[in-house]
Amino acid sequence: MTKYFADVSSFQPDNLGFFQGLVNAGVSGILIKTTQGSHDGDNYINPKSTNQARNSLAAGMNVGFYHYFLATSVADAINEAKFFEQSVVNLGFGKDTPLCVDVEDSSLNTSAVASYVDAFINCLKTQSYTNVFQYSMASWFNEGILNANKHPTWVANYGSSDCGTRGNIIGWQYTSSWGGGSQDMSYDWGIFDKQPAKTEAVTQAKVEPEKPKVENIIKLTEQTHPVDRLGIERPETYEAGSTWKSSDIVMINNEPHYQIATDIFVPISKTAFKDLIIVKYTDDSPAPVFDKNGKRVHNASVSTGKAFKTDGVRIINGIPMAKIATDQFIPFEYTSGSKFE
């Protein structure tokens, strides 16, 4: 089955209807422009990127991001990579997210840009990103300005029955006027197929490192139909391995659910946090621990970043809690994925 993905910037809409329309037309993936240049250069962040990411996820799309490249040196390229990475972190996406460097600007030094691209991609790889690739027009690869074999490559070539170049090609942008308008469209030859890196199973009550970063990112462990706030199943299906940013934890049908969009929820039991919680509390203050009767356990508290294997959900005094030890419980609102600040 042929797979398609679109790419968008601030020129495209950011409402749910736009992305739902793409999905209804058979488009399963989206690459969103987040940044351009560097913090001390253009310092450009797509003002629609947050809503575009949120609503494309809500429409059930696979989501990745791209950066418009303007580097004039290796050092500048590294600064651009860091600027781009921070935008991805701020949006709440993980290390297996598809990330692309868009190399096409006429101001680029074509005799040196390949080395700048190497520096950009290598910077992201050293930060453990696993799905990083380059984009440009076919002519830049054919003329030797860029190397389509050195990095996974998404290539632009319009009005042809062929992608126009050879190498490690993982996507072909074949038109800039899809649907009769000005929307780019591409064939996906592996960009959104890449499987996330496996994580080691938790074998102890306290998971190392001792203070993991709390990012509110959850990962589905099985194919899942989300539900609305009333527990009614929605028609879309989210794939195992897909990652989402949670804004709250809500009890639905006596089970805690992560809220991943307006009135869209997935059960904790179908995520990597089924048997694990990471404590999320204010600043460096320790989170309180309670017993089975809902009373505060004196001399028992845990700091933000601590991770625990859990033994199911308990409703204590009307509050859903995770069991972390014999007669010790932490409210789910004090764990990663909640809105508690």
Side-chain angles (χ1 to χ4, degrees):
M1 179 179 176
T2 303
K3 293 195 300 181
Y4 302 91
F5 69 94
D7 58 277
V8 297
S9 65
S10 61
F11 293 108
Q12 278 75 36
D14 61 356
N15 59 79
L16 178 58
F18 171 75
F19 295 101
Q20 192 63 63
L22 290 174
V23 171
N24 293 343
V27 182
S28 59
I30 195 81
L31 285 178
I32 300 168
K33 177 180 179 180
T34 60
T35 50
Q36 175 174 310
S38 62
H39 178 72
D40 55 1
D42 271 29
N43 195 27
Y44 173 83
I45 298 176
N46 173 9
K48 293 183 178 180
S49 58
T50 298
N51 283 339
Q52 287 173 333
R54 179 185 298 119
N55 286 322
S56 55
L57 287 175
M61 306 187 81
N62 297 309
V63 179
F65 302 100
Y66 74 92
H67 169 86
Y68 194 82
F69 198 56
L70 295 173
T72 58
S73 67
V74 167
D76 197 22
I78 293 172
N79 284 337
E80 291 200 11
K82 292 178 179 178
F83 183 49
F84 179 40
E85 182 202 8
Q86 188 60 55
S87 72
V88 175
V89 170
N90 291 345
L91 287 168
F93 283 73
K95 299 291 187 178
D96 56 343
T97 304
L99 302 181
C100 181
V101 54
D102 178 353
V103 190
E104 61 176 295
D105 196 83
S106 60
S107 69
L108 292 169
N109 181 350
T110 55
S111 64
V113 70
S115 64
Y116 304 161
V117 170
D118 290 346
F120 183 99
I121 290 177
N122 290 337
C123 179
L124 292 176
K125 286 183 175 180
T126 60
Q127 297 303 311
S128 300
Y129 288 90
T130 60
N131 194 354
V132 187
F133 51 102
Q134 62 184 346
Y135 164 92
S136 193
M137 59 285 281
S139 60
W140 278 35
F141 298 107
N142 294 334
E143 294 167 12
I145 297 171
L146 296 172
N147 186 340
N149 285 300
K150 191 165 189 179
H151 304 293
T153 296
W154 170 33
V155 62
N157 191 42
Y158 307 149
S160 173
S161 59
D162 187 271
C163 70
T165 194
R166 295 297 179 265
N168 185 6
I169 309 300
I170 59 173
W172 170 23
Q173 188 183 76
Y174 65 92
T175 182
S176 60
S177 55
W178 180 82
S182 57
Q183 176 62 56
D184 297 336
M185 192 59 64
S186 300
Y187 295 113
D188 178 8
W189 292 338
I191 290 174
F192 292 104
D193 287 342
K194 190 174 180 67
Q195 294 299 309
K198 293 182 179 179
T199 56
E200 295 182 1
V202 177
T203 58
Q204 298 179 353
K206 295 184 179 181
V207 178
E208 293 185 4
E210 193 171 275
K211 278 200 171 185
K213 188 174 183 179
V214 180
E215 295 180 321
N216 280 4
I217 302 301
I218 59 102
K219 180 181 291 185
L220 293 177
T221 55
E222 59 185 274
Q223 192 177 71
T224 303
H225 281 287
V227 298
D228 64 19
R229 191 174 293 273
L230 298 178
I232 300 172
E233 190 174 273
R234 295 174 60 90
E236 61 263 33
T237 300
Y238 298 152
E239 295 302 317
S242 60
T243 56
W244 307 83
K245 185 172 183 179
S246 172
S247 60
D248 199 4
I249 299 175
V250 176
M251 290 296 290
I252 300 175
N253 295 332
N254 297 317
E255 180 181 2
H257 284 62
Y258 289 116
Q259 182 174 6
I260 60 174
T262 302
D263 207 26
I264 299 180
F265 304 83
V266 294
I268 285 181
S269 62
K270 294 186 178 181
T271 75
F273 285 131
K274 175 183 178 181
D275 301 311
L276 169 74
I277 58 101
I278 299 176
V279 178
K280 175 188 177 186
Y281 203 61
T282 55
D283 303 322
D284 292 324
S285 303
V289 176
F290 300 87
D291 65 18
K292 63 183 178 182
N293 297 314
K295 295 182 178 180
R296 177 76 179 268
V297 178
H298 295 293
N299 300 319
S301 57
V302 288
S303 60
T304 291
K306 290 286 186 179
F308 296 89
K309 288 195 68 175
T310 61
D311 182 23
V313 181
R314 304 288 190 279
I315 305 299
I316 301 175
N317 293 341
I319 300 173
M321 299 193 187
K323 184 177 181 180
I324 62 171
T326 302
D327 202 23
Q328 292 190 4
F329 302 84
I330 292 180
F332 271 101
E333 67 174 313
Y334 299 157
T335 69
S336 184
S338 76
K339 65 181 180 181
F340 187 82
E341 298 291 348

